[in-house]
Amino acid sequence: MLAFILRRLGQSIVVMLVVAVVSFLMFRYVGDPIISMVGQEASIADQEALRDRLGLNDPFYVQFFRFITNALQGQFGISYRLQQPVTELILSRLPATIELALVSATMALAVGLVLGVFTALRPRSWSTGAIMSASLVGVSLPTFLIGIGLIYIFAVELKWLPSFGRGEVVNLGWWRTGFLTESGLRSIILPAITLSLFQMTLIMRLVRAEMLEVLRQDYIKFARARGLSKRAINFGHALKNTLVPVITITGLQLGSVIAFAIVTETVFQWPGVGSLFVNSVAVVDVPVMAAYLMFVAFIFVAINLIVDVLYYIVDPRLRVAGGR
Amino acid sequence: MKKTLTGIAVALLASSVLVSAASAETVRWARASDALTLDPHSQNQGVTHNFNHHIYETLMDRDAEGTLTPRLATDWYVKEGDETVWIFELREGVKFHNGADFTAEDVVFSLDRAKSEGSNMRQLHADVVEIRAVDDHTVEVQMAGPSPLYPNNVTNTFMMDKDWSEENDVVEVQDFGAGEDNYAVRNTNGTGPYVLVERDPDVRSVLRVFEDHWADAPAVTEIVYTPIADAATRVAALLSGEVDIVQDVPVQDIERLASTDGVKVETGPENRIIYFGYRFGDLRDGTSISGTDGANPFDDVRVLEAMSLAIDRDAIRQVVMRGQSIPTCVANPPFVAGWAPEFDACPPTDVERARELMAEAGYADGFSVTLDTPNDRYVNDEAISQAVVGMLGQIGIEVSLGSRPVAQHSPLILNNETDFYLLGWGVPTFDSAYIFNDLIHSKTAEFDNYGTYNIGLYENPELDEKIRSLGTMTDLEARDALVHEIWTTVQEDRVLLPVHNQVLAYAMRSDITLPVHPENQPMLTTVTFE
Amino acid sequence: MTDIATPEGRQGRIARFFDSDIVFSYRRSPIAILASIVALGLILAAVLAPWIAPYDPFNPRTLNLMDGFTKPMSSSFAGNYFLLGSDHQGRDVLSTILYGSRVSLLVGLSATLFAMTLGVGLGLVAGYRGGLLDTVIMRIADIQLSFPAILIALLIFGVARGLIPASQQENVVLWVLVLAIGLSNWAQFARTVRGATMVERQKDYVSAARIMGVPPFFILIKHILPNVIGPVLVIATIGLALAIIEEATLSYLGVGVPPTQPSLGTLIRIGQQFLFSGEWWILAFPAFTLILLALSVNLLGDWLRDALNPRLR
């Protein structure tokens, strides 16, 4: 068990390193940070001088080594755009993104599970068909359009909910939460719905597919034959066995939720790390972009690690293969 | 409405105590992006300056017509007997937000800081040799040579408090290599009409009126500034009543906003020209031009004339810009000294004549080229380019569109890796020399301060000399004549292909008025209430 | 997969495929019939666009800017009639939709096919072989998954832009998109297939086949692939819609296909600007087409999954 975890940990570190290289490589192609840092009349010589001061003229490996050594100490430098320490910026934006991701993941999981089980238990009913079809409409539209549509209906026309931002926030230590004020809670509704639609559909379909699969298994038939109650079979056995892949995918999707938040946050002007990233891409704010990519990779690797370990615990059959 | 009533009630109560105080008014102000930093010399960028103008002040200001007006300096003139020295007389009784007095020492410190190596304002002060305090309220600026136009360069250079800067270790401008942020990035101590109360970059900043400010108290007593990047969301926020003023309004939404109850739109011309440029000389490696047997069609002025004739600027104004542009045939906004109606006027669009010119030039069958355009920088930039693709198609020029965000467009442009491109140019000094220096003067190693944005590599050594001489001419009449002469050559050679002057639109609650500022830097002190 | 099967075997399989259950199931499912008609209709319309579209929206010579913003079912000042109205460049919305569907389908199908082939292949190999190969493949998948799909696409798009000379970019932009979207979606396939393969591999019939000396490739195709096809189809159907939407989102972020040769996504991105200004048709018709397309493809996929899965029959 310990060996398994250690091995996966080692692999995770390799993953992080590769991500660092890749994200670093990427910056050479996304544009030139100098352009957005100097005024329109700065001479070529001035631009070169700044490039020098930023170390952008050093060979690639020198820049990379500097980046890694600093990153290991939690230092990602100063944002070119906002001129503040990047680590601080990301930490200050993190609560907004995490709260949004949690609310939308919870929504997606709750609705997805209920609808998934419901449609699996009534495979031939018309309501199943309706739910399955309706769920697809939500994933057939680009996120930005859904967001703008929701804003148009609920903020502009009905004036029920705010169109942008997080509302009033309360500081709990360094964590800035929007859960404790009415305007904060109202503000999270539209972005969370926008963000959750896609995952909701995915989870629902997954639950349904897995559930149908399990219900065909022999042990369910035996259970039925033994006269166990429908409820006990459906929820005690079928749902329980459905949960493993559902947990896996939901876990893996958490990273995607944070990533998907990029577009949602932009549309709703949600002050999270995603909108920070988008704003940084526009002006090639390399330190922020690098830190963001490392951060997303870290979350993902961590989730992967946890899911793998959970898998290992839940499904003993994998121990032979995985523990080797 | 309710807010206004409360405001009036508060004001009535307060008037017994503070006679001069206007009603307490909060204005929620939204635009596309946030100020990058509060350090006044760290970025030379419009949005940043706009925000900082509320906290810090400059020696001089510019009114809506572009004329210099006194601010912290009450008077400025060339020293008698020495054409190379400018004298600035400072306003007396000005206080910083922390209570310190504003003196000549602070000006010397601030100008030195603005021309220091880490400053992004240094280019504007490149000709300054030394700054001296003559007495507490007089400053002398020693220039390298006669610099009749130097006062035009100080309208975005803010004055900081010397003692405060030393105490907080911000004598140097932000050093990116140091790994630490500068105190001045998030903290301020200006002389401006508003004091910074709260700052959360990209999210929300709050400013409150500075009670000890030297000028009359503004009507707006509190500003809540919220950047909203997405255009639709920004408009929605105004429609739903969550903000009071929206600065960057998409042109297509103006009509809807103007017809909405409780919302109005102010429009006015911006000091910015939108133009196309093309590359002269031999075809570059990797050129996108084909169908010309290796010749460069842009070297033939008949082709350039044909292109100008084929572009229907009025149609672009009507359809793409919804009436929100001022078509022009000169790359010079009307605000700028040197603008002349004969350059500005366009001959009517004439596709027939354009086709003839193409045939005369030997391109009856046209040619192919790629047009590089930004898609997130100017008002409807991509749509303008797209329309021009269609119009040039009418005369046989087959244009493919290379559309990119400005961060990718700019390197392409600055490395001269384009044959045909769209760009916009603002003229903060309100003088033609600013255009000539960067867009027209050759790009050479010898004069590396010139020609940075001469993307087409236009070369005319004779013209270069004239352009450089503008910088030191003190006889303003002769200078005006020379400017006119240079423009004549530029127009004859068709160095640039202008489309229009951009128009700005601000949308706001209908009971407040914020006039449009030609440099898109409106001051909320100018807001009036009904 | 057909290389392996003997002619008889292939014929037998095809016969089984089309003669019995699947056709029967198709006939029994009105949703599947409807969805396939809609999907086929849209695909046909897209393929035939050059012949059935009333205008050629890609030919700048026929465009007139003054036709811009014509309402649906009316004529412009210039005298052109537009059934679904015209957009901000004076292009016929119906024609841009027909041509746009072509671009979207081309990008979506190619990208999904690419992602599926790559993901399923790698997943099968990783799950079956295990060991170092498995570790390497799955770590690469982790890296890929650790970046959000849209970021991967942005990255590949950016790198491709850096590598290809600017003047060539407009010609290859579609294939760069296919590559970018395809490479950003393969890992989902790989992970799912690999997990299923690992479980399947432990089963007796696979061990039996192995002991009998059946070649691994044959085992993978014949025994394991059919058992993982269900989840693969779920991912592929969502993936196709996703690819089309991802392309639209890339456009929204300013790096998609050029607006002179728009896809459905680009049309939506452009139309979205006119949501508040009253020119609803520029957004509504492309959006409706996209929903119709994605929905019918997804519904078909749903049905196909149920029909193909032997245990659900």
Side-chain angles (χ1 to χ4, degrees), chain A residues 40-44 47, chain B residues 414 437-439 441 443 448-455:
Chain A
Q40 71 173 11
E41 64 278 284
S43 69
I44 301 289
Q47 295 183 17
Chain B
L414 281 172
N437 289 348
D438 282 314
L439 307 187
H441 193 287
K443 199 172 192 172
D448 76 339
N449 271 347
Y450 292 90
T452 311
Y453 280 79
N454 181 356
I455 315 303

mmCIF file with all atom_site columns, all heavy atoms in Angstrom, chain A residues 40-44 47, chain B residues 414 437-439 441 443 448-455:
data_model
loop_
_atom_site.group_PDB
_atom_site.id
_atom_site.type_symbol
_atom_site.label_atom_id
_atom_site.label_alt_id
_atom_site.label_comp_id
_atom_site.label_asym_id
_atom_site.label_entity_id
_atom_site.label_seq_id
_atom_site.pdbx_PDB_ins_code
_atom_site.Cartn_x
_atom_site.Cartn_y
_atom_site.Cartn_z
_atom_site.occupancy
_atom_site.B_iso_or_equiv
_atom_site.pdbx_formal_charge
_atom_site.auth_seq_id
_atom_site.auth_comp_id
_atom_site.auth_asym_id
_atom_site.auth_atom_id
_atom_site.pdbx_PDB_model_num
ATOM 1   N N   . GLN A 1 40  ? 3.076  52.831 -26.174 1.00 0.00 ? 40  GLN A N   1
ATOM 2   C CA  . GLN A 1 40  ? 3.136  52.648 -27.618 1.00 0.00 ? 40  GLN A CA  1
ATOM 3   C C   . GLN A 1 40  ? 4.316  53.375 -28.249 1.00 0.00 ? 40  GLN A C   1
ATOM 4   O O   . GLN A 1 40  ? 4.718  53.062 -29.341 1.00 0.00 ? 40  GLN A O   1
ATOM 5   C CB  . GLN A 1 40  ? 1.821  53.070 -28.278 1.00 0.00 ? 40  GLN A CB  1
ATOM 6   C CG  . GLN A 1 40  ? 1.564  54.576 -28.285 1.00 0.00 ? 40  GLN A CG  1
ATOM 7   C CD  . GLN A 1 40  ? 0.338  54.955 -29.107 1.00 0.00 ? 40  GLN A CD  1
ATOM 8   O OE1 . GLN A 1 40  ? -0.423 54.096 -29.489 1.00 0.00 ? 40  GLN A OE1 1
ATOM 9   N NE2 . GLN A 1 40  ? 0.167  56.230 -29.358 1.00 0.00 ? 40  GLN A NE2 1
ATOM 10  N N   . GLU A 1 41  ? 4.905  54.360 -27.519 1.00 0.00 ? 41  GLU A N   1
ATOM 11  C CA  . GLU A 1 41  ? 6.004  55.060 -28.159 1.00 0.00 ? 41  GLU A CA  1
ATOM 12  C C   . GLU A 1 41  ? 7.382  54.649 -27.656 1.00 0.00 ? 41  GLU A C   1
ATOM 13  O O   . GLU A 1 41  ? 8.364  55.256 -28.012 1.00 0.00 ? 41  GLU A O   1
ATOM 14  C CB  . GLU A 1 41  ? 5.847  56.575 -28.053 1.00 0.00 ? 41  GLU A CB  1
ATOM 15  C CG  . GLU A 1 41  ? 5.879  57.134 -26.658 1.00 0.00 ? 41  GLU A CG  1
ATOM 16  C CD  . GLU A 1 41  ? 4.530  57.004 -25.996 1.00 0.00 ? 41  GLU A CD  1
ATOM 17  O OE1 . GLU A 1 41  ? 3.618  57.771 -26.303 1.00 0.00 ? 41  GLU A OE1 1
ATOM 18  O OE2 . GLU A 1 41  ? 4.408  56.077 -25.153 1.00 0.00 ? 41  GLU A OE2 1
ATOM 19  N N   . ALA A 1 42  ? 7.454  53.577 -26.860 1.00 0.00 ? 42  ALA A N   1
ATOM 20  C CA  . ALA A 1 42  ? 8.758  53.148 -26.384 1.00 0.00 ? 42  ALA A CA  1
ATOM 21  C C   . ALA A 1 42  ? 9.614  52.727 -27.580 1.00 0.00 ? 42  ALA A C   1
ATOM 22  O O   . ALA A 1 42  ? 9.143  52.055 -28.479 1.00 0.00 ? 42  ALA A O   1
ATOM 23  C CB  . ALA A 1 42  ? 8.598  51.981 -25.422 1.00 0.00 ? 42  ALA A CB  1
ATOM 24  N N   . SER A 1 43  ? 10.860 53.120 -27.583 1.00 0.00 ? 43  SER A N   1
ATOM 25  C CA  . SER A 1 43  ? 11.716 52.782 -28.710 1.00 0.00 ? 43  SER A CA  1
ATOM 26  C C   . SER A 1 43  ? 12.118 51.316 -28.614 1.00 0.00 ? 43  SER A C   1
ATOM 27  O O   . SER A 1 43  ? 11.973 50.669 -27.585 1.00 0.00 ? 43  SER A O   1
ATOM 28  C CB  . SER A 1 43  ? 12.967 53.661 -28.704 1.00 0.00 ? 43  SER A CB  1
ATOM 29  O OG  . SER A 1 43  ? 13.771 53.304 -27.602 1.00 0.00 ? 43  SER A OG  1
ATOM 30  N N   . ILE A 1 44  ? 12.651 50.805 -29.727 1.00 0.00 ? 44  ILE A N   1
ATOM 31  C CA  . ILE A 1 44  ? 13.101 49.413 -29.750 1.00 0.00 ? 44  ILE A CA  1
ATOM 32  C C   . ILE A 1 44  ? 14.159 49.188 -28.669 1.00 0.00 ? 44  ILE A C   1
ATOM 33  O O   . ILE A 1 44  ? 14.189 48.158 -28.002 1.00 0.00 ? 44  ILE A O   1
ATOM 34  C CB  . ILE A 1 44  ? 13.681 49.081 -31.145 1.00 0.00 ? 44  ILE A CB  1
ATOM 35  C CG1 . ILE A 1 44  ? 12.620 49.297 -32.223 1.00 0.00 ? 44  ILE A CG1 1
ATOM 36  C CG2 . ILE A 1 44  ? 14.222 47.668 -31.192 1.00 0.00 ? 44  ILE A CG2 1
ATOM 37  C CD1 . ILE A 1 44  ? 11.504 48.309 -32.250 1.00 0.00 ? 44  ILE A CD1 1
ATOM 38  N N   . GLN A 1 47  ? 12.575 48.727 -25.361 1.00 0.00 ? 47  GLN A N   1
ATOM 39  C CA  . GLN A 1 47  ? 11.951 47.406 -25.279 1.00 0.00 ? 47  GLN A CA  1
ATOM 40  C C   . GLN A 1 47  ? 13.000 46.342 -24.991 1.00 0.00 ? 47  GLN A C   1
ATOM 41  O O   . GLN A 1 47  ? 12.797 45.443 -24.183 1.00 0.00 ? 47  GLN A O   1
ATOM 42  C CB  . GLN A 1 47  ? 11.223 47.080 -26.585 1.00 0.00 ? 47  GLN A CB  1
ATOM 43  C CG  . GLN A 1 47  ? 10.061 48.011 -26.843 1.00 0.00 ? 47  GLN A CG  1
ATOM 44  C CD  . GLN A 1 47  ? 9.293  47.641 -28.106 1.00 0.00 ? 47  GLN A CD  1
ATOM 45  O OE1 . GLN A 1 47  ? 9.436  46.537 -28.612 1.00 0.00 ? 47  GLN A OE1 1
ATOM 46  N NE2 . GLN A 1 47  ? 8.497  48.552 -28.602 1.00 0.00 ? 47  GLN A NE2 1
ATOM 47  N N   . LEU B 2 414 ? 5.312  44.468 -35.156 1.00 0.00 ? 414 LEU B N   1
ATOM 48  C CA  . LEU B 2 414 ? 6.562  45.133 -34.785 1.00 0.00 ? 414 LEU B CA  1
ATOM 49  C C   . LEU B 2 414 ? 7.777  44.456 -35.400 1.00 0.00 ? 414 LEU B C   1
ATOM 50  O O   . LEU B 2 414 ? 8.823  45.069 -35.556 1.00 0.00 ? 414 LEU B O   1
ATOM 51  C CB  . LEU B 2 414 ? 6.693  45.192 -33.258 1.00 0.00 ? 414 LEU B CB  1
ATOM 52  C CG  . LEU B 2 414 ? 5.844  46.305 -32.654 1.00 0.00 ? 414 LEU B CG  1
ATOM 53  C CD1 . LEU B 2 414 ? 5.845  46.212 -31.146 1.00 0.00 ? 414 LEU B CD1 1
ATOM 54  C CD2 . LEU B 2 414 ? 6.348  47.665 -33.094 1.00 0.00 ? 414 LEU B CD2 1
ATOM 55  N N   . ASN B 2 437 ? 7.013  60.818 -36.259 1.00 0.00 ? 437 ASN B N   1
ATOM 56  C CA  . ASN B 2 437 ? 8.135  60.139 -35.599 1.00 0.00 ? 437 ASN B CA  1
ATOM 57  C C   . ASN B 2 437 ? 7.989  58.622 -35.633 1.00 0.00 ? 437 ASN B C   1
ATOM 58  O O   . ASN B 2 437 ? 8.937  57.906 -35.906 1.00 0.00 ? 437 ASN B O   1
ATOM 59  C CB  . ASN B 2 437 ? 8.246  60.579 -34.141 1.00 0.00 ? 437 ASN B CB  1
ATOM 60  C CG  . ASN B 2 437 ? 8.729  61.992 -34.001 1.00 0.00 ? 437 ASN B CG  1
ATOM 61  O OD1 . ASN B 2 437 ? 9.191  62.589 -34.975 1.00 0.00 ? 437 ASN B OD1 1
ATOM 62  N ND2 . ASN B 2 437 ? 8.604  62.555 -32.799 1.00 0.00 ? 437 ASN B ND2 1
ATOM 63  N N   . ASP B 2 438 ? 6.794  58.130 -35.305 1.00 0.00 ? 438 ASP B N   1
ATOM 64  C CA  . ASP B 2 438 ? 6.632  56.696 -35.143 1.00 0.00 ? 438 ASP B CA  1
ATOM 65  C C   . ASP B 2 438 ? 6.139  55.980 -36.398 1.00 0.00 ? 438 ASP B C   1
ATOM 66  O O   . ASP B 2 438 ? 6.479  54.836 -36.625 1.00 0.00 ? 438 ASP B O   1
ATOM 67  C CB  . ASP B 2 438 ? 5.661  56.407 -33.991 1.00 0.00 ? 438 ASP B CB  1
ATOM 68  C CG  . ASP B 2 438 ? 6.335  56.569 -32.647 1.00 0.00 ? 438 ASP B CG  1
ATOM 69  O OD1 . ASP B 2 438 ? 7.458  56.046 -32.506 1.00 0.00 ? 438 ASP B OD1 1
ATOM 70  O OD2 . ASP B 2 438 ? 5.765  57.222 -31.759 1.00 0.00 ? 438 ASP B OD2 1
ATOM 71  N N   . LEU B 2 439 ? 5.308  56.649 -37.201 1.00 0.00 ? 439 LEU B N   1
ATOM 72  C CA  . LEU B 2 439 ? 4.685  55.934 -38.317 1.00 0.00 ? 439 LEU B CA  1
ATOM 73  C C   . LEU B 2 439 ? 5.345  56.191 -39.656 1.00 0.00 ? 439 LEU B C   1
ATOM 74  O O   . LEU B 2 439 ? 5.259  55.373 -40.557 1.00 0.00 ? 439 LEU B O   1
ATOM 75  C CB  . LEU B 2 439 ? 3.196  56.309 -38.438 1.00 0.00 ? 439 LEU B CB  1
ATOM 76  C CG  . LEU B 2 439 ? 2.314  56.176 -37.209 1.00 0.00 ? 439 LEU B CG  1
ATOM 77  C CD1 . LEU B 2 439 ? 0.861  56.415 -37.582 1.00 0.00 ? 439 LEU B CD1 1
ATOM 78  C CD2 . LEU B 2 439 ? 2.452  54.802 -36.586 1.00 0.00 ? 439 LEU B CD2 1
ATOM 79  N N   . HIS B 2 441 ? 8.673  58.141 -40.230 1.00 0.00 ? 441 HIS B N   1
ATOM 80  C CA  . HIS B 2 441 ? 10.143 58.146 -40.272 1.00 0.00 ? 441 HIS B CA  1
ATOM 81  C C   . HIS B 2 441 ? 10.670 56.731 -40.502 1.00 0.00 ? 441 HIS B C   1
ATOM 82  O O   . HIS B 2 441 ? 10.123 55.764 -39.997 1.00 0.00 ? 441 HIS B O   1
ATOM 83  C CB  . HIS B 2 441 ? 10.674 58.688 -38.937 1.00 0.00 ? 441 HIS B CB  1
ATOM 84  C CG  . HIS B 2 441 ? 12.138 59.025 -38.967 1.00 0.00 ? 441 HIS B CG  1
ATOM 85  N ND1 . HIS B 2 441 ? 13.118 58.062 -38.994 1.00 0.00 ? 441 HIS B ND1 1
ATOM 86  C CD2 . HIS B 2 441 ? 12.797 60.219 -38.974 1.00 0.00 ? 441 HIS B CD2 1
ATOM 87  C CE1 . HIS B 2 441 ? 14.301 58.638 -39.007 1.00 0.00 ? 441 HIS B CE1 1
ATOM 88  N NE2 . HIS B 2 441 ? 14.137 59.951 -39.005 1.00 0.00 ? 441 HIS B NE2 1
ATOM 89  N N   . LYS B 2 443 ? 12.687 53.271 -40.406 1.00 0.00 ? 443 LYS B N   1
ATOM 90  C CA  . LYS B 2 443 ? 13.095 52.449 -39.264 1.00 0.00 ? 443 LYS B CA  1
ATOM 91  C C   . LYS B 2 443 ? 14.567 52.113 -39.476 1.00 0.00 ? 443 LYS B C   1
ATOM 92  O O   . LYS B 2 443 ? 14.902 51.213 -40.243 1.00 0.00 ? 443 LYS B O   1
ATOM 93  C CB  . LYS B 2 443 ? 12.251 51.183 -39.263 1.00 0.00 ? 443 LYS B CB  1
ATOM 94  C CG  . LYS B 2 443 ? 12.208 50.431 -37.950 1.00 0.00 ? 443 LYS B CG  1
ATOM 95  C CD  . LYS B 2 443 ? 11.176 49.319 -38.028 1.00 0.00 ? 443 LYS B CD  1
ATOM 96  C CE  . LYS B 2 443 ? 10.887 48.722 -36.662 1.00 0.00 ? 443 LYS B CE  1
ATOM 97  N NZ  . LYS B 2 443 ? 9.759  47.797 -36.706 1.00 0.00 ? 443 LYS B NZ  1
ATOM 98  N N   . ASP B 2 448 ? 17.173 55.164 -33.672 1.00 0.00 ? 448 ASP B N   1
ATOM 99  C CA  . ASP B 2 448 ? 16.327 54.077 -33.201 1.00 0.00 ? 448 ASP B CA  1
ATOM 100 C C   . ASP B 2 448 ? 15.148 54.565 -32.353 1.00 0.00 ? 448 ASP B C   1
ATOM 101 O O   . ASP B 2 448 ? 14.318 53.788 -31.924 1.00 0.00 ? 448 ASP B O   1
ATOM 102 C CB  . ASP B 2 448 ? 17.144 53.006 -32.470 1.00 0.00 ? 448 ASP B CB  1
ATOM 103 C CG  . ASP B 2 448 ? 17.536 53.455 -31.074 1.00 0.00 ? 448 ASP B CG  1
ATOM 104 O OD1 . ASP B 2 448 ? 17.541 54.680 -30.840 1.00 0.00 ? 448 ASP B OD1 1
ATOM 105 O OD2 . ASP B 2 448 ? 17.850 52.597 -30.243 1.00 0.00 ? 448 ASP B OD2 1
ATOM 106 N N   . ASN B 2 449 ? 15.106 55.882 -32.111 1.00 0.00 ? 449 ASN B N   1
ATOM 107 C CA  . ASN B 2 449 ? 13.929 56.404 -31.412 1.00 0.00 ? 449 ASN B CA  1
ATOM 108 C C   . ASN B 2 449 ? 12.793 56.715 -32.381 1.00 0.00 ? 449 ASN B C   1
ATOM 109 O O   . ASN B 2 449 ? 11.717 57.104 -31.986 1.00 0.00 ? 449 ASN B O   1
ATOM 110 C CB  . ASN B 2 449 ? 14.281 57.691 -30.658 1.00 0.00 ? 449 ASN B CB  1
ATOM 111 C CG  . ASN B 2 449 ? 14.763 57.363 -29.260 1.00 0.00 ? 449 ASN B CG  1
ATOM 112 O OD1 . ASN B 2 449 ? 14.602 56.234 -28.800 1.00 0.00 ? 449 ASN B OD1 1
ATOM 113 N ND2 . ASN B 2 449 ? 15.349 58.341 -28.597 1.00 0.00 ? 449 ASN B ND2 1
ATOM 114 N N   . TYR B 2 450 ? 13.069 56.528 -33.655 1.00 0.00 ? 450 TYR B N   1
ATOM 115 C CA  . TYR B 2 450 ? 12.070 56.869 -34.675 1.00 0.00 ? 450 TYR B CA  1
ATOM 116 C C   . TYR B 2 450 ? 11.595 55.607 -35.401 1.00 0.00 ? 450 TYR B C   1
ATOM 117 O O   . TYR B 2 450 ? 12.279 54.587 -35.426 1.00 0.00 ? 450 TYR B O   1
ATOM 118 C CB  . TYR B 2 450 ? 12.669 57.837 -35.699 1.00 0.00 ? 450 TYR B CB  1
ATOM 119 C CG  . TYR B 2 450 ? 12.985 59.210 -35.153 1.00 0.00 ? 450 TYR B CG  1
ATOM 120 C CD1 . TYR B 2 450 ? 14.231 59.498 -34.607 1.00 0.00 ? 450 TYR B CD1 1
ATOM 121 C CD2 . TYR B 2 450 ? 12.026 60.220 -35.197 1.00 0.00 ? 450 TYR B CD2 1
ATOM 122 C CE1 . TYR B 2 450 ? 14.528 60.749 -34.105 1.00 0.00 ? 450 TYR B CE1 1
ATOM 123 C CE2 . TYR B 2 450 ? 12.321 61.483 -34.700 1.00 0.00 ? 450 TYR B CE2 1
ATOM 124 C CZ  . TYR B 2 450 ? 13.565 61.747 -34.159 1.00 0.00 ? 450 TYR B CZ  1
ATOM 125 O OH  . TYR B 2 450 ? 13.853 62.995 -33.678 1.00 0.00 ? 450 TYR B OH  1
ATOM 126 N N   . GLY B 2 451 ? 10.428 55.707 -35.983 1.00 0.00 ? 451 GLY B N   1
ATOM 127 C CA  . GLY B 2 451 ? 9.975  54.661 -36.904 1.00 0.00 ? 451 GLY B CA  1
ATOM 128 C C   . GLY B 2 451 ? 9.592  53.342 -36.268 1.00 0.00 ? 451 GLY B C   1
ATOM 129 O O   . GLY B 2 451 ? 9.514  52.329 -36.945 1.00 0.00 ? 451 GLY B O   1
ATOM 130 N N   . THR B 2 452 ? 9.334  53.345 -34.945 1.00 0.00 ? 452 THR B N   1
ATOM 131 C CA  . THR B 2 452 ? 8.998  52.079 -34.281 1.00 0.00 ? 452 THR B CA  1
ATOM 132 C C   . THR B 2 452 ? 7.801  51.403 -34.944 1.00 0.00 ? 452 THR B C   1
ATOM 133 O O   . THR B 2 452 ? 7.757  50.199 -35.086 1.00 0.00 ? 452 THR B O   1
ATOM 134 C CB  . THR B 2 452 ? 8.674  52.334 -32.798 1.00 0.00 ? 452 THR B CB  1
ATOM 135 O OG1 . THR B 2 452 ? 9.715  53.131 -32.252 1.00 0.00 ? 452 THR B OG1 1
ATOM 136 C CG2 . THR B 2 452 ? 8.574  51.035 -32.034 1.00 0.00 ? 452 THR B CG2 1
ATOM 137 N N   . TYR B 2 453 ? 6.817  52.184 -35.321 1.00 0.00 ? 453 TYR B N   1
ATOM 138 C CA  . TYR B 2 453 ? 5.612  51.612 -35.931 1.00 0.00 ? 453 TYR B CA  1
ATOM 139 C C   . TYR B 2 453 ? 5.544  51.887 -37.429 1.00 0.00 ? 453 TYR B C   1
ATOM 140 O O   . TYR B 2 453 ? 4.470  51.905 -38.005 1.00 0.00 ? 453 TYR B O   1
ATOM 141 C CB  . TYR B 2 453 ? 4.358  52.126 -35.216 1.00 0.00 ? 453 TYR B CB  1
ATOM 142 C CG  . TYR B 2 453 ? 4.089  51.387 -33.928 1.00 0.00 ? 453 TYR B CG  1
ATOM 143 C CD1 . TYR B 2 453 ? 4.780  51.674 -32.767 1.00 0.00 ? 453 TYR B CD1 1
ATOM 144 C CD2 . TYR B 2 453 ? 3.140  50.359 -33.897 1.00 0.00 ? 453 TYR B CD2 1
ATOM 145 C CE1 . TYR B 2 453 ? 4.542  50.977 -31.595 1.00 0.00 ? 453 TYR B CE1 1
ATOM 146 C CE2 . TYR B 2 453 ? 2.891  49.658 -32.737 1.00 0.00 ? 453 TYR B CE2 1
ATOM 147 C CZ  . TYR B 2 453 ? 3.594  49.977 -31.585 1.00 0.00 ? 453 TYR B CZ  1
ATOM 148 O OH  . TYR B 2 453 ? 3.351  49.277 -30.442 1.00 0.00 ? 453 TYR B OH  1
ATOM 149 N N   . ASN B 2 454 ? 6.704  52.080 -38.055 1.00 0.00 ? 454 ASN B N   1
ATOM 150 C CA  . ASN B 2 454 ? 6.762  52.164 -39.508 1.00 0.00 ? 454 ASN B CA  1
ATOM 151 C C   . ASN B 2 454 ? 6.789  50.740 -40.035 1.00 0.00 ? 454 ASN B C   1
ATOM 152 O O   . ASN B 2 454 ? 7.815  50.223 -40.449 1.00 0.00 ? 454 ASN B O   1
ATOM 153 C CB  . ASN B 2 454 ? 8.004  52.948 -39.939 1.00 0.00 ? 454 ASN B CB  1
ATOM 154 C CG  . ASN B 2 454 ? 8.094  53.089 -41.453 1.00 0.00 ? 454 ASN B CG  1
ATOM 155 O OD1 . ASN B 2 454 ? 7.280  52.535 -42.187 1.00 0.00 ? 454 ASN B OD1 1
ATOM 156 N ND2 . ASN B 2 454 ? 9.098  53.818 -41.909 1.00 0.00 ? 454 ASN B ND2 1
ATOM 157 N N   . ILE B 2 455 ? 5.620  50.100 -39.968 1.00 0.00 ? 455 ILE B N   1
ATOM 158 C CA  . ILE B 2 455 ? 5.533  48.665 -40.243 1.00 0.00 ? 455 ILE B CA  1
ATOM 159 C C   . ILE B 2 455 ? 5.780  48.373 -41.710 1.00 0.00 ? 455 ILE B C   1
ATOM 160 O O   . ILE B 2 455 ? 6.279  47.323 -42.080 1.00 0.00 ? 455 ILE B O   1
ATOM 161 C CB  . ILE B 2 455 ? 4.124  48.134 -39.850 1.00 0.00 ? 455 ILE B CB  1
ATOM 162 C CG1 . ILE B 2 455 ? 3.703  48.680 -38.493 1.00 0.00 ? 455 ILE B CG1 1
ATOM 163 C CG2 . ILE B 2 455 ? 4.086  46.635 -39.872 1.00 0.00 ? 455 ILE B CG2 1
ATOM 164 C CD1 . ILE B 2 455 ? 4.632  48.391 -37.385 1.00 0.00 ? 455 ILE B CD1 1
#
